[in-house]
Amino acid sequence: MNPEETRDKHEEAKFFLRYLDEAQNLPQPDTQTLFRYSLSAFLGTAYSMQQAEKHYNKSFVEWFTALPLAKQA
């Protein structure tokens, strides 16, 4: 995932987090569905960001270890 996609996912997570916060203040019958859907979307976005971080870390380690020792220092 490139930096622009990562920024976009971060904004997406903030968007759904705002909905989660707003859903808490709604009357109970209206809250459950909105909260559940928003939570699902927020968790999906968070998971996506976690997977991107794992991929980035793996790529970085591969790149770094391929450098000559003098450059690693």
Side-chain angles (χ1 to χ4, degrees):
M1 189 177 282
N2 66 42
E4 188 58 39
E5 289 172 328
T6 302
R7 259 190 296 284
D8 186 55
K9 282 293 179 190
H10 183 256
E11 290 302 315
E12 185 178 336
K14 287 179 8 184
F15 175 83
F16 287 115
L17 187 58
R18 272 193 304 275
Y19 268 170
L20 287 170
D21 186 47
E22 291 172 11
Q24 293 180 46
N25 300 319
L26 296 174
Q28 190 63 27
D30 298 334
T31 302
Q32 290 180 0
T33 300
L34 178 60
F35 185 84
R36 196 166 36 90
Y37 289 175
S38 296
L39 179 60
S40 176
F42 176 76
L43 292 175
T45 300
Y47 179 77
S48 174
M49 291 175 68
Q50 180 188 32
Q51 295 306 309
E53 180 182 7
K54 285 180 184 177
H55 176 72
Y56 170 79
N57 289 340
K58 182 179 178 230
S59 297
F60 178 80
V61 168
E62 290 172 359
W63 169 80
F64 185 78
T65 55
L67 290 173
L69 290 176
K71 294 232 180 205
Q72 288 181 19

